[in-house]
Amino acid sequence: MNEIILTLFNGISLGSILLLIALGLAITFGLMNVINMAHGELIMVGAYITYVIQTIFMNYAPPEYFDLYFIISIPVALIVAAGIGMLLEVSLIRHLYKRPLDSLLATWGVGLILQQTARSIFGAPNVGVTSPSFLTGGLEVGSLILPYSRLFILGLSIVCLFSIFYYFYRTASGRRVRAVMQNRQMAECLGVSTRKVDMLTFAIGSGFAGVAGCALTLLGAIGPTIGTSYIIDAFMVVVVGGVGALFGAVSGAFGIGILNTIFEYVTNATLGKVLIFIVIIAFLQWRPSGLVMSRSRSLD
């Protein structure tokens, strides 16, 4: 029973990590139909922002305030990554809407530039980030120990999810974003500034990528290619959940996370990854639109 509970917790934990990574992609790819291959590098930006703030606190702050570095890193990573995303949208992406292959190649090139910039500044070897003291250890549940870091990532992903939901469905600005995504011409006729909406939406998606990078520092060392190892899984989550469906990303993330953990437990890590790809391919053959299909009214 303990093994079953631990396997389920590991699956939920992996799903929360995938959800946190895929939330930004669900906005840029799912809602804006922009294939942003630099999403992984925006995750890297958030991770290195955390490392820089940790170094500043380590060198200049009193030891008793060291743990505050991680709390400060989350909003700073969001703002910096959002700023880079906004600059990317204004200078490049705005010219490539409705040109998916061009946007794929262009953002892939931007990703390589960001990787090389990180190597030039921080070096090629991975660097470590020390977890704050309140996230070390774990919660004892019977004979099981659930790591605080994993529980924190699960809570952070839930907070980010509800923040996005509140913005898109409970604010005037979010309703304008959804209006533009559903019917751009009609939104323009009603006076919505679609250029501002595009820029703001891409910045929001990029900002949440930075938050994901900050959270990933709790799991191990970081390097210039940290985002590359997660970008394929993030696209899988968005496609399986349903392009344009926010809560489809939730279903896809936790479904993939739990199945992947079960397959790895029954077989091994390599074969488990192969099996999850086979299941996803078979699922998309049966349901190409994903778990949740977005619906909109249109005039034919």
Side-chain angles (χ1 to χ4, degrees), residues 16-88:
S16 66
I17 296 169
L18 293 177
L19 176 61
L20 196 58
I21 293 169
L23 275 177
L25 198 64
I27 297 173
T28 56
F29 177 54
L31 294 179
M32 300 182 69
N33 293 320
V34 175
I35 305 176
N36 181 18
M37 294 302 294
H39 187 79
E41 280 61 46
L42 293 170
I43 294 173
M44 175 203 69
V45 168
Y48 274 114
I49 288 295
T50 308
Y51 172 73
V52 169
I53 294 178
Q54 174 205 248
T55 304
I56 294 173
F57 268 74
M58 192 176 293
N59 293 333
Y60 301 105
E64 58 269 21
Y65 295 112
F66 175 73
D67 289 344
L68 291 177
Y69 89 87
F70 192 77
I71 303 300
I72 296 175
S73 298
I74 295 175
V76 173
L78 186 148
I79 293 171
V80 173
I84 294 175
M86 186 179 296
L87 179 63
L88 179 61

Side-chain angles (χ1 to χ4, degrees), residues 30-220:
L31 294 179
M32 300 182 69
N33 293 320
V34 175
I35 305 176
N36 181 18
M37 294 302 294
H39 187 79
E41 280 61 46
L42 293 170
I43 294 173
M44 175 203 69
V45 168
Y48 274 114
I49 288 295
T50 308
Y51 172 73
V52 169
I53 294 178
Q54 174 205 248
T55 304
I56 294 173
F57 268 74
M58 192 176 293
N59 293 333
Y60 301 105
E64 58 269 21
Y65 295 112
F66 175 73
D67 289 344
L68 291 177
Y69 89 87
F70 192 77
I71 303 300
I72 296 175
S73 298
I74 295 175
V76 173
L78 186 148
I79 293 171
V80 173
I84 294 175
M86 186 179 296
L87 179 63
L88 179 61
E89 197 279 337
V90 170
S91 60
L92 182 64
I93 300 297
R94 63 178 295 186
H95 305 290
L96 301 177
Y97 288 122
K98 297 183 180 180
R99 294 163 59 185
L101 291 180
D102 293 341
S103 66
L104 186 151
L105 291 174
T107 53
W108 180 67
V110 170
L112 293 179
I113 293 172
L114 291 175
Q115 281 190 25
Q116 191 56 45
T117 303
R119 288 191 185 96
S120 301
I121 297 174
F122 301 101
N126 291 349
V127 296
V129 176
T130 304
S131 298
S133 59
F134 59 85
L135 292 179
T136 56
L139 177 66
E140 294 186 8
V141 181
S143 59
L144 296 177
I145 298 179
L146 308 180
Y148 287 131
S149 58
R150 299 270 182 165
L151 292 173
F152 177 81
I153 292 176
L154 176 60
L156 182 62
S157 64
I158 293 174
V159 170
C160 291
L161 174 65
F162 278 99
S163 299
I164 293 176
F165 175 81
Y166 182 82
Y167 174 75
F168 280 113
Y169 292 91
R170 293 293 184 271
T171 66
S173 177
R175 284 192 288 269
R176 284 194 292 269
V177 171
R178 290 192 293 123
V180 171
M181 300 313 157
Q182 292 178 12
N183 194 324
R184 177 176 292 269
Q185 289 76 19
M186 182 59 70
E188 287 178 343
C189 291
L190 295 175
V192 177
S193 175
T194 56
R195 276 296 311 128
K196 290 183 180 179
V197 167
D198 291 338
M199 182 177 61
L200 179 62
T201 307
F202 199 86
I204 292 173
S206 302
F208 279 101
V211 174
C214 182
L216 288 179
T217 60
L218 297 173
L219 304 180

Side-chain angles (χ1 to χ4, degrees), residues 169-298:
Y169 292 91
R170 293 293 184 271
T171 66
S173 177
R175 284 192 288 269
R176 284 194 292 269
V177 171
R178 290 192 293 123
V180 171
M181 300 313 157
Q182 292 178 12
N183 194 324
R184 177 176 292 269
Q185 289 76 19
M186 182 59 70
E188 287 178 343
C189 291
L190 295 175
V192 177
S193 175
T194 56
R195 276 296 311 128
K196 290 183 180 179
V197 167
D198 291 338
M199 182 177 61
L200 179 62
T201 307
F202 199 86
I204 292 173
S206 302
F208 279 101
V211 174
C214 182
L216 288 179
T217 60
L218 297 173
L219 304 180
I222 61 173
T225 59
I226 183 175
T228 307
S229 32
Y230 289 100
I231 188 66
I232 300 300
D233 292 334
F235 273 107
M236 285 196 305
V237 167
V238 175
V239 172
V240 169
V243 176
L246 187 59
F247 282 99
V250 180
S251 305
F254 285 105
I256 291 174
I258 292 174
L259 284 178
N260 191 34
T261 304
I262 293 174
F263 288 153
E264 289 183 0
Y265 176 76
V266 174
T267 58
N268 55 61
T270 303
L271 187 56
K273 183 65 70 175
V274 172
L275 289 175
I276 196 67
F277 272 111
I278 293 175
V279 170
I280 290 173
I281 292 171
F283 173 78
L284 292 177
Q285 292 293 322
W286 169 64
R287 195 176 177 88
S289 59
L291 286 168
V292 180
M293 182 173 61
S294 60
R295 298 177 179 176
S296 63
R297 293 177 293 178
S298 61

